[in-house]
Amino acid sequence: MPDSSVSPTLDLQLSWRGAYGRLRAFPGRLEAETDYQRPARTAVPMDEVQAWRLGPCDEDAVCVEFVTPQETYRVLLDTPDERVAELAVRKVLGPPQQEG
């Protein structure tokens, strides 16, 4: 169980057009929550993530997509946060999945 007293090294949040996204980076682990294209806010099961990718979601937002065997979780983030989000996720999960 992760130590809840440890502060994240990065905490990105976006509430946009009724959707919520949050990505928190800690030393060696990530936490993410989303309600984008979902009926309720959901924690991404990071221990099940097999791949990830990052790219535009809409005109004013980017998505970090976390791919698990069952489904893909899309976490909305602000466009200016794209680069720092990519660095944080890459540090924990390795390189993103290539399109194609």
Side-chain angles (χ1 to χ4, degrees):
M1 184 100 200
D3 183 352
S4 61
S5 68
V6 175
S7 296
T9 56
L10 179 69
D11 190 349
L12 302 174
Q13 296 181 61
L14 179 65
S15 293
W16 180 77
R17 295 186 185 176
Y20 174 83
R22 185 173 193 184
L23 177 67
R24 293 166 37 120
F26 298 85
R29 70 180 171 92
L30 297 171
E31 293 178 358
E33 293 177 275
T34 186
D35 65 5
Y36 184 62
Q37 300 175 328
R38 296 179 173 279
R41 192 172 295 181
T42 304
V44 177
M46 297 306 291
D47 57 334
E48 296 177 20
V49 172
Q50 296 180 333
W52 69 278
R53 54 189 169 260
L54 186 134
C57 263
D58 207 319
E59 61 202 50
D60 297 331
V62 295
C63 278
V64 182
E65 293 183 336
F66 294 102
V67 181
T68 71
Q70 295 77 28
E71 58 188 305
T72 298
Y73 297 83
R74 299 177 85 198
V75 178
L76 277 175
L77 296 174
D78 199 9
T79 302
D81 292 334
E82 181 175 9
R83 183 71 180 134
V84 70
E86 179 182 3
L87 291 172
V89 176
R90 182 184 290 267
K91 187 173 183 177
V92 176
L93 297 179
Q97 177 181 15
Q98 299 299 315
E99 297 294 325

